Amino acid sequence: MIWIIMGIALILFLWLLYGYSMNFFLKTENYTINSPRIAKSFKAVLLADLHSASFGKKNEKLIRMIDKESPDLILMAGDMVVKNGKKLCVTKGFLTALSNKYPVYYSPGNHEIRMPDYEEYKNFLRDLGITYLENEQVYLPEYDLTITGLDLPEYYYHKCWQKRTFTKDTMDQTAGFNTQKGCQLLLAHNPEYIPVYRQWGAEITCSGHLHGGIMILPFLGGVLSPSLRLFPTYDQGVFREDGAVHIVSRGLGLHHLKFRFFNTPELSVINFTCTRGLK
Protein backbone atom coordinates (compact mmCIF):
# COMPACT_ATOMS: atom_id res chain seq x y z
CA MET A 1 0.00 0.00 0.00
CA ILE A 2 2.83 2.39 0.90
CA TRP A 3 4.34 1.91 -2.58
CA ILE A 4 1.06 2.85 -4.21
CA ILE A 5 0.85 6.01 -2.12
CA MET A 6 4.47 6.89 -2.88
CA GLY A 7 3.86 6.26 -6.59
CA ILE A 8 0.83 8.54 -6.63
CA ALA A 9 2.76 11.20 -4.71
CA LEU A 10 5.63 10.99 -7.21
CA ILE A 11 3.29 11.29 -10.19
CA LEU A 12 1.59 14.30 -8.59
CA PHE A 13 4.95 15.92 -7.84
CA LEU A 14 6.16 15.41 -11.42
CA TRP A 15 2.87 16.74 -12.78
CA LEU A 16 3.12 19.91 -10.69
CA LEU A 17 6.80 20.28 -11.57
CA TYR A 18 5.88 20.08 -15.25
CA GLY A 19 3.13 22.67 -14.79
CA TYR A 20 5.48 25.05 -13.00
CA SER A 21 8.29 24.58 -15.53
CA MET A 22 5.98 25.64 -18.37
CA ASN A 23 6.21 29.22 -17.06
CA PHE A 24 9.73 29.44 -18.49
CA PHE A 25 8.99 28.25 -22.05
CA LEU A 26 8.01 31.55 -23.61
CA LYS A 27 6.65 31.11 -27.13
CA THR A 28 6.00 33.56 -29.95
CA GLU A 29 2.56 33.25 -31.54
CA ASN A 30 2.00 34.90 -34.93
CA TYR A 31 -1.36 36.22 -36.09
CA THR A 32 -2.31 37.85 -39.39
CA ILE A 33 -5.16 40.29 -39.82
CA ASN A 34 -6.07 41.29 -43.37
CA SER A 35 -8.11 44.49 -43.48
CA PRO A 36 -9.19 47.02 -46.09
CA ARG A 37 -9.85 49.42 -43.21
CA ILE A 38 -6.21 50.25 -42.45
CA ALA A 39 -4.13 52.59 -44.59
CA LYS A 40 -0.92 50.55 -44.65
CA SER A 41 0.50 47.32 -43.31
CA PHE A 42 2.28 47.24 -39.96
CA LYS A 43 3.37 44.89 -37.19
CA ALA A 44 2.41 45.05 -33.53
CA VAL A 45 3.51 43.07 -30.50
CA LEU A 46 0.73 42.37 -28.00
CA LEU A 47 1.70 41.93 -24.34
CA ALA A 48 -0.67 40.92 -21.56
CA ASP A 49 -0.57 39.59 -18.01
CA LEU A 50 3.12 40.00 -17.32
CA HIS A 51 2.29 40.25 -13.59
CA SER A 52 5.80 41.62 -12.98
CA ALA A 53 7.41 38.35 -14.10
CA SER A 54 10.92 38.37 -15.50
CA PHE A 55 12.23 36.36 -18.45
CA GLY A 56 15.95 36.59 -17.95
CA LYS A 57 17.73 39.28 -15.97
CA LYS A 58 15.82 42.56 -16.36
CA ASN A 59 13.58 40.75 -18.86
CA GLU A 60 16.44 40.63 -21.36
CA LYS A 61 15.10 37.46 -23.01
CA LEU A 62 11.67 39.00 -23.54
CA ILE A 63 13.17 42.23 -24.87
CA ARG A 64 15.37 40.31 -27.31
CA MET A 65 12.35 38.40 -28.60
CA ILE A 66 10.47 41.68 -29.13
CA ASP A 67 13.45 43.34 -30.84
CA LYS A 68 13.76 40.36 -33.18
CA GLU A 69 10.25 41.10 -34.46
CA SER A 70 11.01 44.81 -35.08
CA PRO A 71 7.41 45.89 -34.36
CA ASP A 72 6.03 49.26 -35.40
CA LEU A 73 4.21 49.57 -32.09
CA ILE A 74 3.53 47.77 -28.82
CA LEU A 75 0.01 47.01 -27.54
CA MET A 76 -0.52 46.18 -23.87
CA ALA A 77 -3.80 44.63 -22.76
CA GLY A 78 -3.44 44.97 -19.00
CA ASP A 79 -2.17 43.23 -15.86
CA MET A 80 1.46 44.04 -16.47
CA VAL A 81 1.68 44.38 -12.68
CA VAL A 82 0.17 42.69 -9.63
CA LYS A 83 -2.40 44.43 -7.48
CA ASN A 84 -0.20 44.65 -4.37
CA GLY A 85 2.62 46.33 -6.31
CA LYS A 86 5.05 43.47 -5.64
CA LYS A 87 8.14 43.52 -7.90
CA LEU A 88 6.88 46.73 -9.50
CA CYS A 89 10.49 47.70 -10.22
CA VAL A 90 10.69 44.74 -12.64
CA THR A 91 7.78 46.04 -14.70
CA LYS A 92 9.02 49.62 -14.54
CA GLY A 93 12.44 48.63 -15.84
CA PHE A 94 10.89 46.60 -18.65
CA LEU A 95 8.54 49.40 -19.68
CA THR A 96 11.37 51.93 -19.59
CA ALA A 97 13.41 49.79 -21.98
CA LEU A 98 10.46 49.32 -24.36
CA SER A 99 9.38 52.96 -24.36
CA ASN A 100 12.87 54.01 -25.44
CA LYS A 101 12.45 51.97 -28.63
CA TYR A 102 8.78 51.76 -29.58
CA PRO A 103 5.47 53.61 -29.38
CA VAL A 104 3.54 51.89 -26.58
CA TYR A 105 -0.26 51.86 -26.14
CA TYR A 106 -1.35 50.49 -22.79
CA SER A 107 -4.82 49.73 -21.42
CA PRO A 108 -5.35 48.65 -17.78
CA GLY A 109 -6.46 45.30 -16.39
CA ASN A 110 -7.98 44.41 -13.06
CA HIS A 111 -4.60 44.44 -11.29
CA GLU A 112 -3.56 47.95 -12.34
CA ILE A 113 -6.77 49.53 -11.09
CA ARG A 114 -6.38 47.91 -7.65
CA MET A 115 -2.79 49.00 -7.04
CA PRO A 116 -2.36 51.16 -3.92
CA ASP A 117 -0.04 53.54 -5.84
CA TYR A 118 -2.04 53.52 -9.05
CA GLU A 119 -1.88 57.27 -9.62
CA GLU A 120 1.88 57.30 -9.18
CA TYR A 121 2.18 54.38 -11.60
CA LYS A 122 0.11 56.14 -14.26
CA ASN A 123 2.24 59.27 -13.93
CA PHE A 124 5.35 57.14 -14.33
CA LEU A 125 3.99 55.63 -17.55
CA ARG A 126 3.06 58.99 -19.00
CA ASP A 127 6.46 60.44 -18.12
CA LEU A 128 7.95 57.64 -20.22
CA GLY A 129 5.81 58.72 -23.16
CA ILE A 130 3.59 55.64 -22.99
CA THR A 131 0.02 56.29 -24.17
CA TYR A 132 -2.09 55.03 -21.27
CA LEU A 133 -5.69 54.67 -22.35
CA GLU A 134 -8.36 54.80 -19.62
CA ASN A 135 -11.56 54.69 -21.66
CA GLU A 136 -9.85 56.92 -24.17
CA GLN A 137 -9.13 56.78 -27.87
CA VAL A 138 -6.12 57.76 -29.90
CA TYR A 139 -6.14 58.06 -33.68
CA LEU A 140 -3.07 57.04 -35.72
CA PRO A 141 -3.50 58.72 -39.13
CA GLU A 142 -0.58 56.88 -40.75
CA TYR A 143 -2.52 53.63 -40.32
CA ASP A 144 -6.03 55.10 -40.34
CA LEU A 145 -6.43 53.30 -37.01
CA THR A 146 -8.16 54.26 -33.78
CA ILE A 147 -6.94 52.49 -30.65
CA THR A 148 -9.37 52.50 -27.73
CA GLY A 149 -8.35 51.36 -24.27
CA LEU A 150 -11.12 49.99 -22.08
CA ASP A 151 -10.80 50.65 -18.35
CA LEU A 152 -13.34 48.19 -17.01
CA PRO A 153 -14.49 48.76 -13.40
CA GLU A 154 -13.61 46.04 -10.90
CA TYR A 155 -17.32 45.21 -10.62
CA TYR A 156 -17.14 43.45 -14.00
CA TYR A 157 -14.32 41.14 -12.91
CA HIS A 158 -16.50 38.69 -11.03
CA LYS A 159 -16.88 35.03 -10.13
CA CYS A 160 -19.15 32.90 -12.29
CA TRP A 161 -21.91 32.74 -9.67
CA GLN A 162 -22.09 36.55 -9.42
CA LYS A 163 -24.52 37.97 -11.95
CA ARG A 164 -23.32 40.88 -14.02
CA THR A 165 -25.04 42.55 -16.97
CA PHE A 166 -22.74 44.16 -19.51
CA THR A 167 -24.51 45.58 -22.56
CA LYS A 168 -23.68 47.90 -25.43
CA ASP A 169 -25.22 50.75 -23.42
CA THR A 170 -22.84 49.90 -20.58
CA MET A 171 -19.98 49.86 -23.05
CA ASP A 172 -21.02 53.27 -24.42
CA GLN A 173 -21.13 54.67 -20.90
CA THR A 174 -17.77 53.15 -19.99
CA ALA A 175 -15.56 53.51 -23.05
CA GLY A 176 -17.52 56.26 -24.77
CA PHE A 177 -19.24 56.15 -28.11
CA ASN A 178 -17.36 54.56 -30.96
CA THR A 179 -16.18 57.35 -33.25
CA GLN A 180 -15.67 54.92 -36.17
CA LYS A 181 -12.69 56.98 -37.31
CA GLY A 182 -10.71 54.53 -39.38
CA CYS A 183 -10.35 50.94 -38.23
CA GLN A 184 -11.33 50.47 -34.56
CA LEU A 185 -8.92 48.44 -32.44
CA LEU A 186 -9.98 47.82 -28.84
CA LEU A 187 -7.62 46.92 -26.01
CA ALA A 188 -9.93 45.19 -23.53
CA HIS A 189 -8.32 43.08 -20.82
CA ASN A 190 -11.33 40.85 -20.11
CA PRO A 191 -12.43 38.77 -23.15
CA GLU A 192 -15.63 37.60 -21.48
CA TYR A 193 -17.53 40.51 -23.06
CA ILE A 194 -16.23 40.09 -26.62
CA PRO A 195 -19.77 39.88 -28.12
CA VAL A 196 -20.55 43.29 -26.60
CA TYR A 197 -17.27 44.75 -27.83
CA ARG A 198 -18.25 43.64 -31.31
CA GLN A 199 -21.70 45.25 -30.99
CA TRP A 200 -20.00 48.45 -29.88
CA GLY A 201 -18.04 48.48 -33.11
CA ALA A 202 -14.65 46.96 -32.31
CA GLU A 203 -13.27 45.51 -35.53
CA ILE A 204 -10.21 44.13 -33.77
CA THR A 205 -10.08 43.29 -30.06
CA CYS A 206 -6.95 42.37 -28.12
CA SER A 207 -7.37 40.78 -24.69
CA GLY A 208 -5.69 38.60 -22.07
CA HIS A 209 -6.82 37.88 -18.50
CA LEU A 210 -7.63 34.16 -18.84
CA HIS A 211 -4.00 32.93 -18.92
CA GLY A 212 -5.03 30.37 -21.52
CA GLY A 213 -7.36 28.68 -19.04
CA ILE A 214 -4.41 27.37 -16.94
CA MET A 215 -4.63 23.99 -18.72
CA ILE A 216 -5.35 23.52 -22.43
CA LEU A 217 -6.93 20.23 -23.46
CA PRO A 218 -7.22 18.92 -27.05
CA PHE A 219 -10.59 19.76 -28.64
CA LEU A 220 -11.78 21.35 -25.38
CA GLY A 221 -9.44 24.32 -25.04
CA GLY A 222 -8.70 26.25 -21.87
CA VAL A 223 -10.13 24.66 -18.75
CA LEU A 224 -10.58 27.38 -16.12
CA SER A 225 -11.02 31.15 -16.20
CA PRO A 226 -10.19 33.54 -13.32
CA SER A 227 -13.94 33.79 -12.71
CA LEU A 228 -13.85 29.98 -12.12
CA ARG A 229 -15.86 29.35 -15.26
CA LEU A 230 -15.11 26.00 -16.86
CA PHE A 231 -14.09 25.93 -20.52
CA PRO A 232 -14.49 29.66 -21.24
CA THR A 233 -15.53 30.49 -24.80
CA TYR A 234 -12.72 32.96 -25.53
CA ASP A 235 -9.82 31.16 -23.89
CA GLN A 236 -6.80 31.83 -26.13
CA GLY A 237 -5.90 32.34 -29.76
CA VAL A 238 -7.79 34.04 -32.56
CA PHE A 239 -11.56 34.22 -33.03
CA ARG A 240 -13.20 35.57 -36.19
CA GLU A 241 -16.88 36.42 -35.87
CA ASP A 242 -19.18 38.58 -37.99
CA GLY A 243 -16.27 40.28 -39.73
CA ALA A 244 -14.48 41.12 -36.47
CA VAL A 245 -11.22 39.60 -35.22
CA HIS A 246 -10.50 38.89 -31.56
CA ILE A 247 -7.07 37.90 -30.28
CA VAL A 248 -6.81 36.55 -26.75
CA SER A 249 -3.28 36.14 -25.43
CA ARG A 250 -2.35 33.31 -23.07
CA GLY A 251 -0.38 35.97 -21.24
CA LEU A 252 3.21 36.17 -20.09
CA GLY A 253 3.01 35.57 -16.35
CA LEU A 254 0.69 34.24 -13.69
CA HIS A 255 -0.54 35.52 -10.35
CA HIS A 256 -2.14 33.22 -7.76
CA LEU A 257 -1.85 29.82 -9.44
CA LYS A 258 1.71 29.34 -10.72
CA PHE A 259 1.06 26.39 -13.01
CA ARG A 260 0.53 26.00 -16.74
CA PHE A 261 -0.35 22.68 -18.34
CA PHE A 262 0.09 22.34 -22.14
CA ASN A 263 -0.08 26.13 -22.03
CA THR A 264 3.13 28.10 -22.59
CA PRO A 265 3.42 31.85 -21.95
CA GLU A 266 2.79 33.87 -25.08
CA LEU A 267 4.44 36.75 -26.89
CA SER A 268 1.82 37.73 -29.48
CA VAL A 269 2.94 39.14 -32.82
CA ILE A 270 0.18 40.59 -34.99
CA ASN A 271 0.83 41.31 -38.66
CA PHE A 272 -1.73 43.80 -39.96
CA THR A 273 -1.96 43.56 -43.75
CA CYS A 274 -3.57 46.37 -45.69
CA THR A 275 -5.89 45.05 -48.40
CA ARG A 276 -7.32 48.45 -49.28
CA GLY A 277 -7.84 48.74 -53.01
CA LEU A 278 -7.46 45.01 -53.59
CA LYS A 279 -10.25 42.91 -55.03
Side-chain angles (χ1 to χ4, degrees):
M1 187 64 171
I2 186 66
W3 294 108
I4 295 175
I5 295 174
M6 290 178 65
I8 293 172
L10 178 60
I11 291 171
L12 179 60
F13 171 76
L14 293 175
W15 177 247
L16 292 177
L17 182 63
Y18 163 76
Y20 182 75
S21 69
M22 282 295 98
N23 288 291
F24 305 100
F25 288 86
L26 179 59
K27 183 180 179 181
T28 299
E29 296 288 358
N30 287 276
Y31 303 96
T32 298
I33 297 177
N34 299 315
S35 174
R37 300 273 292 146
I38 58 174
K40 69 175 182 178
S41 300
F42 66 97
K43 180 188 289 188
V45 161
L46 170 64
L47 306 174
D49 300 286
L50 180 65
H51 289 295
S52 292
S54 186
F55 294 90
K57 185 178 180 181
K58 296 182 179 180
N59 264 310
E60 290 174 350
K61 177 181 177 181
L62 180 53
I63 292 170
R64 284 198 305 270
M65 291 177 69
I66 293 171
D67 290 342
K68 181 180 177 181
E69 298 297 332
S70 299
D72 298 292
L73 51 90
I74 305 289
L75 304 172
M76 294 186 178
D79 278 10
M80 302 299 290
V81 298
V82 290
K83 61 184 178 182
N84 60 11
K86 187 178 180 181
K87 295 184 179 179
L88 184 59
C89 60
V90 173
T91 301
K92 284 185 172 182
F94 174 61
L95 295 177
T96 298
L98 281 189
S99 65
N100 287 332
K101 299 179 180 181
Y102 309 105
V104 180
Y105 301 89
Y106 185 158
S107 176
N110 53 307
H111 279 260
E112 280 89 356
I113 63 177
R114 291 186 287 175
M115 288 177 62
D117 298 321
Y118 186 36
E119 292 301 321
E120 183 276 333
Y121 180 65
K122 288 190 291 184
N123 291 334
F124 167 79
L125 296 175
R126 287 166 176 152
D127 287 345
L128 289 178
I130 290 174
T131 303
Y132 193 70
L133 298 168
E134 301 175 276
N135 297 321
E136 297 170 291
Q137 300 182 353
V138 60
Y139 178 65
L140 307 184
E142 63 269 39
Y143 306 117
D144 197 14
L145 178 75
T146 294
I147 300 176
T148 300
L150 177 63
D151 182 5
L152 200 62
E154 188 178 349
Y155 174 83
Y156 292 103
Y157 294 97
H158 62 288
K159 301 306 179 187
C160 61
W161 59 84
Q162 297 170 317
K163 300 300 182 182
R164 298 288 187 267
T165 300
F166 191 79
T167 65
K168 181 181 178 299
D169 286 342
T170 310
M171 184 69 182
D172 289 337
Q173 294 166 10
T174 304
F177 291 100
N178 183 3
T179 62
Q180 287 295 336
K181 189 174 184 180
C183 181
Q184 178 64 254
L185 186 152
L186 177 68
L187 295 176
H189 182 65
N190 190 348
E192 181 175 347
Y193 307 112
I194 277 177
V196 178
Y197 304 154
R198 189 168 65 249
Q199 292 171 17
W200 176 78
E203 298 168 68
I204 303 163
T205 302
C206 296
S207 302
H209 187 55
L210 267 61
H211 306 153
I214 304 300
M215 179 190 296
I216 299 176
L217 297 178
F219 308 109
L220 296 175
V223 173
L224 187 67
S225 76
S227 66
L228 304 182
R229 190 181 304 278
L230 290 173
F231 303 108
T233 301
Y234 303 101
D235 53 351
Q236 55 90 29
V238 60
F239 303 86
R240 302 177 189 272
E241 300 172 339
D242 300 329
V245 182
H246 316 286
I247 293 175
V248 182
S249 171
R250 296 191 299 272
L252 295 160
L254 294 171
H255 181 42
H256 292 298
L257 192 61
K258 303 294 186 182
F259 300 99
R260 289 176 175 269
F261 300 97
F262 316 113
N263 174 25
T264 53
E266 174 177 338
L267 174 68
S268 312
V269 178
I270 310 174
N271 294 283
F272 294 84
T273 302
C274 174
T275 58
R276 185 174 293 186
L278 300 179
K279 293 183 178 180

